[in-house]
Amino acid sequence: MLLSGGSVMRRTIQSMAVMMVMILCIVTCASSLEIPPGITVFEVDSFTYRASFLLTDGTEALLLRGRFEVFYLYRHHHPTVSEHVMSVTLGFYYGKTILGRHLLTNVTIDSLSFLPRWHDSAGYSHGPDDIPPLFEINGSLADGAMVGGSQVIDDNPVSRYIPDFGGILVLRGLRLVLSTEETVSIGSDELRFSFSKRLNNHVPEEAQVLGVNNTAYAVGEGVIALKTNGQPPIIIITDTVTFGALVVAAAIASVVTLPRLRGRLNTRSHLYRESV
């Protein structure tokens, strides 16, 4: 695995914040479907996937977290509505030191798009070549930025369920700007992540990664880890040393203070017994 032990604590702290943001995002995405009154919405299937961009020492510089969902919208009459909708949401989170300082100052991208593909409820295959991107953006991505979109993928399904769904995330010209002002380009001109999930499986299929060239990467259950050529900023070391010094200082203070506190408590207890 490409992740270093030193980044475990930072990832744990980040994961709690990421989960809260993603919960808010899911609510936002559901409301962005502009569901008419009287429509019943069922979640057919969903999955999440993470892409972690690491520095040379294994520290996570950028986390990209994606949530992929398919909904079934239904209304029995006036008028009858029956359709499948796919929704994709991506969140971008900068890596931080143990004291919470960002490792990145900016993330830029020439083009970021998602090409959906699926088998409909009748078993017919769709996308990605014959379907327009579900969304496409470019520019700067701030820490905590959320992007995505949704679209109707079947306006006359024969069933509530679909066999599988997913798509291809295409990133062109992805660049990370470190706190040292060093710019790190990721992969080749075009980086592609291919995702898919079958209805009867609890977890998505293992993602396929294209366009990384000589970039080392590993793919696991729900996660892609890519090791960039970015050098770790000095603030990682300084903050780690500072944190260690604070821990040591706190330990020394507790060692010095506790015996004195116990002595005072014992003295007060003795005086109380004498007075009684």
Side-chain angles (χ1 to χ4, degrees), residues 33-48:
L33 297 179
E34 298 181 359
I35 302 169
I39 297 290
T40 303
V41 180
F42 303 93
E43 183 185 87
V44 177
D45 204 357
S46 66
F47 67 93
T48 59

Side-chain angles (χ1 to χ4, degrees), residues 117-131:
R117 64 181 177 189
W118 71 96
H119 283 86
D120 63 27
S121 56
Y124 295 103
S125 177
H126 302 271
D129 298 328
D130 58 338
I131 302 295

